[in-house]
């Protein structure tokens, strides 16, 4: 009897272990998605050999190589990004951590200096750094930023503010008054109008000469001058609900900034790719990358016509530790697995299109993105 119960116990135990192993090989956290609205990619030829007059830096927050690959499968094996003629890799580590955040990674690209985790365009000692937008402005270029997150969030802020802590959003919002950026579009209106210190920054932005807009409709009617557009509180909605708002705002910014004879620098961010990585949500993630890619296509069409515009598409870091495990290009189905709810330390891809694109091939530190842009636009130090 005793022997029998040992046999049964052993059998039960080994079955459980076997089942566990089986479940393990089935990667139970696989996240699958089929995209039902594949789109045609734009047909463009990049201008070569001309001087770079304008630079458009497009940042996919958290958009690693696997995020791009998943979107590529979902859209039936094609992306507007494929029009880029040069690719490279950027190393994302920050001064005090291997795994960076958007504050330190953005600071590296915006100022050319590695800094500590959570810093916004200050060095590791807390001293303010000048950014690409400051330098472009002092060199006579117009500047703009368009994002889908709230403006005091890390990536837009590294171009408009200086702070040792990205979480001090009210102080960061107040820095927008002094940033000299000509076109600003994003969410987070409450950080400017419903503040603990009772300041009305929307009114203060008006005093600074900005046309302050609280709807897209108002924004779209502006034909010239400085723009500060905050159509929403919080974040802009996700891709499905947002429609083509990011593309429209990006093209509107480019249209206004390009009236400047000396050229412009613009930073356009697909901010919410990162959120979807944190949530380990494959469907929403793919939709965000594809929305970003649609905008990339429209920006490339504009750049092709202009002939003197360099478009750079890159990420600040990867989010979610995503792996692509299966999929079908014919049906646009992708399956993947996330290893993390946070960021990872893997190198991220850099894509470039237009005159000067060759400068972005190779493997380099994220700080070199800044140096390459400064050199190509011949910006003041
Ligand atoms: Zn993140």
């Amino acid at each position: 009897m005793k022997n029998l119960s040992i046999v049964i116990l052993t059998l039960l135990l080994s079955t459980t272990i076997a089942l566990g192993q089986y479940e393990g090989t089935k990667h139970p956290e696989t996240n699958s998605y089929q995209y039902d609205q594949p789109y045609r990619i734009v047909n463009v030829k990049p201008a070569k050999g001309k001087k770079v007059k304008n630079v458009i830096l497009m940042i996919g927050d958290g958009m690693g190589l696997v995020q791009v690959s998943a979107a590529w499968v979902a859209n039936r094996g094609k992306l507007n990004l494929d029009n880029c003629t040069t690719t490279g890799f950027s190393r994302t580590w920050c001064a005090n951590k291997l795994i960076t955040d958007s504050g330190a990674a953005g600071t590296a690209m915006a100022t050319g200096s590695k800094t500590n985790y959570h810093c916004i365009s200050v060095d590791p000692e807390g001293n303010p750094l000048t950014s690409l937008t400051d330098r472009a402005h002092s060199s006579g270029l117009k500047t703009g930023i368009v994002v889908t997150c709230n403006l005091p969030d890390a990536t837009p802020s590294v171009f408009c503010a200086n702070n040792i802590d990205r979480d001090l959003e009210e102080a960061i919002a107040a820095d927008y008054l002094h940033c000299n950026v000509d076109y600003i579009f994003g969410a987070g209106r409450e950080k400017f109008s419903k503040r603990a210190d009772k300041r009305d920054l929307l009114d203060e932005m008006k005093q600074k000469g900005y046309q302050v807009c609280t709807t897209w409709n108002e924004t779209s009617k502006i034909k010239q001058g400085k723009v500060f557009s905050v159509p929403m509180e919080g974040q802009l909605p996700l891709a499905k609900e947002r429609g083509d708002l990011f593309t429209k705002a990006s093209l509107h910014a480019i249209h206004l900034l390009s009236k400047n004879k000396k050229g412009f620098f613009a930073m356009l961010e697909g901010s919410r790719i990162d959120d979807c990585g944190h949530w380990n949500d494959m469907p929403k993630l793919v939709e965000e990358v594809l929305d970003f890619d649609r905008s990339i296509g429209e920006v490339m069409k504009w750049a092709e016509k202009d002939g003197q515009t360099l478009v750079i598409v890159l990420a600040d870091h990867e989010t979610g530790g995503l792996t692509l495990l299966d999929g079908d290009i014919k049906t646009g189905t992708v399956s993947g697995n996330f290893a993390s709810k946070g960021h990872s330390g893997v190198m991220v891809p850099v894509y470039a299109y237009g005159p000067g694109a060759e400068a972005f091939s190779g493997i380099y530190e994220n700080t070199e993105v800044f140096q390459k842009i400064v050199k190509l636009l011949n910006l003041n130090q």
Side-chain angles (χ1 to χ4, degrees):
M1 204 54 197
K2 195 181 171 190
N3 279 349
L4 187 64
S5 54
I6 287 172
V7 168
I8 290 170
L9 243 170
T10 314
L11 265 173
L12 270 174
L13 204 65
S14 54
T15 314
T16 314
I17 291 167
L19 271 175
Q21 280 170 346
Y22 179 62
E23 286 300 317
T25 53
K26 266 180 71 188
H27 37 77
E29 285 175 38
T30 297
N31 227 305
S32 293
Y33 179 57
Q34 183 176 23
Y35 187 58
D36 59 5
Q37 292 175 302
Y39 56 89
R40 293 168 72 90
I41 65 166
V42 302
N43 180 16
V44 289
K45 290 193 176 49
K48 277 185 186 167
K50 291 198 180 172
K51 193 181 168 298
V52 183
K53 182 180 169 191
N54 313 305
V55 167
I56 302 174
L57 176 64
M58 300 185 72
I59 304 178
D61 199 314
M63 188 180 75
L65 199 51
V66 184
Q67 282 78 357
V68 173
S69 305
W72 173 81
V73 177
N75 198 43
R76 315 304 194 262
K78 51 189 188 295
L79 286 178
N80 287 314
L81 257 183
D82 299 343
N83 286 308
C84 288
T85 50
T86 302
T87 51
F89 285 108
S90 161
R91 292 197 183 100
T92 66
W93 59 278
C94 68
N96 61 345
K97 275 179 188 273
L98 176 69
I99 314 296
T100 189
D101 79 311
S102 296
T107 299
M109 298 189 285
T111 71
S113 304
K114 295 257 185 195
T115 191
N116 288 347
Y117 197 75
H118 266 222
C119 284
I120 300 293
S121 285
V122 294
D123 68 16
E125 284 73 46
N127 304 303
L129 298 162
T130 56
S131 74
L132 281 171
T133 44
D134 300 321
R135 287 169 195 254
H137 173 75
S138 78
S139 307
L141 275 68
K142 293 286 180 199
T143 58
I145 60 162
V146 174
V147 299
T148 54
C149 58
N150 75 78
L151 285 169
D153 207 330
T155 313
S157 296
V158 299
F159 293 92
C160 299
N162 309 94
N163 205 300
I164 52 161
D165 183 359
R166 62 180 281 178
D167 289 339
L168 301 175
E169 292 194 329
E170 281 213 354
I172 290 170
D175 274 5
Y176 274 74
L177 281 165
H178 314 289
C179 71
N180 292 315
V181 175
D182 301 284
Y183 190 107
I184 300 170
F185 175 95
R189 189 170 65 228
E190 76 282 8
K191 306 276 167 39
F192 298 86
S193 61
K194 295 178 185 168
R195 298 167 54 86
D197 65 7
K198 306 285 184 220
R199 278 173 73 183
D200 181 352
L201 297 188
L202 297 185
D203 195 49
E204 291 184 42
M205 290 302 277
K206 267 185 210 157
Q207 310 300 323
K208 284 270 176 182
Y210 282 93
Q211 299 164 86
V212 174
C213 307
T214 52
T215 64
W216 168 247
N217 195 26
E218 254 180 287
T219 315
S220 65
K221 292 191 177 110
I222 295 177
K223 302 274 188 282
Q224 60 190 355
K226 290 166 80 161
V227 174
F228 185 77
S229 175
V230 274
M232 279 178 200
E233 297 192 348
Q235 316 253 38
L236 289 190
L238 292 171
K240 247 189 187 158
E241 205 189 317
R242 194 169 65 233
D244 58 353
L245 183 56
F246 178 66
T247 303
K248 285 194 289 199
S250 298
L251 292 178
H252 186 240
I254 291 169
H255 178 65
L256 263 58
L257 298 172
S258 64
K259 289 174 188 279
N260 186 39
K261 284 205 171 67
K262 279 196 163 177
F264 68 89
F265 167 78
M267 190 286 289
L268 317 174
E269 187 196 30
S271 321
R272 308 220 57 197
I273 297 167
D274 176 66
D275 294 309
C276 304
H278 284 292
W279 301 330
N280 289 183
D281 189 323
M282 185 70 124
K284 290 191 172 82
L285 173 65
V286 168
E287 283 163 10
E288 283 297 324
V289 177
L290 291 177
D291 177 72
F292 191 50
D293 185 64
R294 279 196 176 96
S295 305
I296 292 166
E298 294 307 310
V299 168
M300 281 174 162
K301 266 164 57 181
W302 187 90
E304 182 195 38
K305 249 189 235 153
D306 177 71
Q308 296 181 85
T309 299
L310 167 65
V311 181
I312 308 153
V313 185
L314 47 67
D316 48 358
H317 54 73
E318 194 272 349
T319 306
L322 181 60
T323 317
L324 189 58
L325 294 169
D326 203 357
D328 185 345
I329 292 169
K330 284 198 193 82
T331 60
T333 310
V334 278
S335 298
N337 198 354
F338 293 91
S340 161
K341 297 266 185 196
H343 302 166
S344 75
V346 69
M347 292 191 289
V348 290
V350 180
Y351 303 83
Y353 166 89
E358 317 77 60
F360 289 85
S361 76
I363 304 167
Y364 40 88
E365 297 300 329
N366 50 5
T367 47
E368 280 190 40
V369 173
F370 165 88
Q371 281 139 13
K372 291 174 197 294
I373 294 172
V374 165
K375 201 170 162 198
L376 286 164
L377 283 175
N378 195 22
L379 299 180
N380 291 343
Q381 288 301 305

